């Protein structure tokens, strides 16, 4: 069902080669534009014109990569499934609205027909032509709207059912994209966690290295301190200063 919807969207935009384009672009991977051109049996310029036309509606996306040898850019394309479905949904809603307006018009207004020329006129135009066909001169007859209304209502039911299916596909596609997004987020988180663990490991190794280096330095410092203490220190000479009391006694004797 999804493929049918995508084919319908692309055929609305570019016409006949929709099936081939959808088959080439419906995957998650971007496809080289030269491969697309080859598969479609078109020139690269013709292929690009088709893709650009679809891109104008936002139904395809592209990335470009530079050829290291030749220096030019090559584009890679893929179909945007969700946007395509939403585009088709809007178009279907528009068609339903138009059809309902036609049903309402048929139920409230009169229509006339020239049976010979099979040309239909609303009441206003029929009055302008005096209820006579300009082509053949035949007098208009009243159109039986009941049959037309029944046909319109059948088409309306089909479009409503189609809209439900499109909405289901949109829900499915959104869920699929959410899963991919969650997977990517988990991958990013895992990568960040890995980087943090690696950083911690490097920091731990650096701390352990510093610890080892500092532990090697401490014994050498102790040895050097022991060597300093082993050298005999010169004894200090005690120089006795004459006390003031003795000086006083000597002065008295005199």
């Amino acid at each position: 069902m999804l493929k049918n919807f995508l084919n319908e969207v692309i055929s609305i935009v570019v016409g006949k080669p929709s099936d081939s384009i959808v088959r080439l672009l419906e995957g998650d991977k971007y496809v080289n534009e030269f491969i697309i051109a080859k598969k479609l049996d078109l020139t690269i310029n013709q292929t690009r014109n088709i893709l650009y036309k679809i891109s104008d509606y936002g139904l395809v996306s592209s990335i470009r990569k530079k050829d290291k040898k030749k220096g030019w850019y090559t584009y890679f394309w893929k179909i945007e499934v969700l946007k395509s479905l939403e585009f088709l949904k809007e178009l279907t809603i528009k068609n339903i609205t138009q059809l309902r307006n036609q049903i309402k018009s048929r139920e409230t207004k009169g229509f006339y027909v020239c049976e010979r020329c099979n040309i239909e006129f609303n009441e206003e135009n029929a009055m302008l032509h005096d209820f006579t066909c300009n082509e053949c001169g035949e007098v208009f007859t009243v159109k039986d709207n009941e049959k037309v209304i029944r046909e319109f209502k059948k088409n309306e039911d089909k479009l409503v059912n189609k809209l439900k299916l499109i909405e289901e596909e949109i829900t499915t596609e959104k869920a699929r994209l959410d899963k991919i997004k969650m997977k990517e987020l988990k991958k990013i988180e895992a990568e960040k966690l890995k980087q943090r663990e690696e950083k911690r490991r490097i920091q731990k190794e650096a701390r352990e290295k510093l610890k080892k280096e500092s532990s090697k330095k401490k014994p050498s410092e102790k040895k050097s301190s022991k060597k300093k203490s082993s050298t005999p220190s010169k004894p200090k000479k005690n120089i006795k200063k004459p006390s003031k009391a003795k000086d006083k006694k000597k002065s008295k004797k005199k």
Side-chain angles (χ1 to χ4, degrees), residues 28-153:
D28 289 327
K29 292 181 179 179
Y30 287 90
V31 184
N32 189 314
E33 61 188 356
F34 287 96
I35 293 171
I36 298 166
K38 189 178 179 181
K39 296 282 184 182
L40 294 176
D41 196 23
L42 298 170
T43 65
I44 189 65
N45 287 333
Q46 287 172 327
T47 304
R48 282 173 180 167
N49 287 337
I50 291 169
L51 293 168
Y52 291 153
K53 195 173 181 180
I54 303 168
S55 180
D56 288 340
Y57 291 87
L59 307 178
V60 289
S61 60
S62 64
I63 56 171
R64 66 176 191 173
K65 293 179 183 178
K66 192 173 184 179
D67 192 307
K68 291 179 181 178
K69 291 181 180 178
K70 296 176 182 177
W72 62 49
Y73 286 99
T74 303
Y75 284 81
F76 295 75
W77 300 81
K78 76 168 183 176
I79 196 164
E80 291 295 330
V81 176
L82 184 59
K83 287 181 180 178
S84 298
L85 289 169
E86 286 172 345
F87 173 82
L88 188 60
K89 180 185 173 180
E90 286 177 14
L91 200 64
T92 306
I93 290 168
K94 189 178 177 182
N95 290 339
I96 290 168
T97 304
Q98 287 175 349
L99 200 55
R100 283 173 178 169
N101 289 335
Q102 286 181 335
I103 291 167
K104 189 178 179 181
S105 177
R106 292 282 172 176
E107 287 174 340
T108 55
K109 294 177 182 179
F111 287 82
Y112 297 84
V113 65
C114 172
E115 291 182 350
R116 184 179 288 180
C117 300
N118 198 26
I119 301 171
E120 187 182 79
F121 297 88
N122 60 25
E123 196 168 359
E124 291 173 4
N125 288 328
M127 286 176 71
L128 288 170
H129 288 84
D130 293 326
F131 298 95
T132 305
C133 181
N134 288 339
E135 298 293 326
C136 65
E138 188 79 17
V139 177
F140 295 155
T141 57
V142 178
K143 176 85 174 181
D144 182 12
N145 282 332
E146 289 299 321
K147 189 179 178 181
V148 177
I149 290 167
R150 281 197 301 271
E151 195 64 34
F152 281 170
K153 284 186 175 179

Side-chain angles (χ1 to χ4, degrees), residues 153-172:
K153 284 186 175 179
K154 279 183 184 177
N155 291 336
E156 183 193 1
D157 291 338
K158 285 179 183 177
L159 287 173
V160 169
N161 290 330
K162 180 184 174 181
L163 183 62
K164 286 177 183 176
L165 292 171
I166 293 167
E167 285 173 342
E168 285 174 9
E169 290 292 345
I170 287 170
T171 304
T172 305

Side-chain angles (χ1 to χ4, degrees), residues 18 20-21 138-139 156 201 224:
S18 61
S20 303
I21 293 168
E138 188 79 17
V139 177
E156 183 193 1
R201 187 186 64 79
S224 61

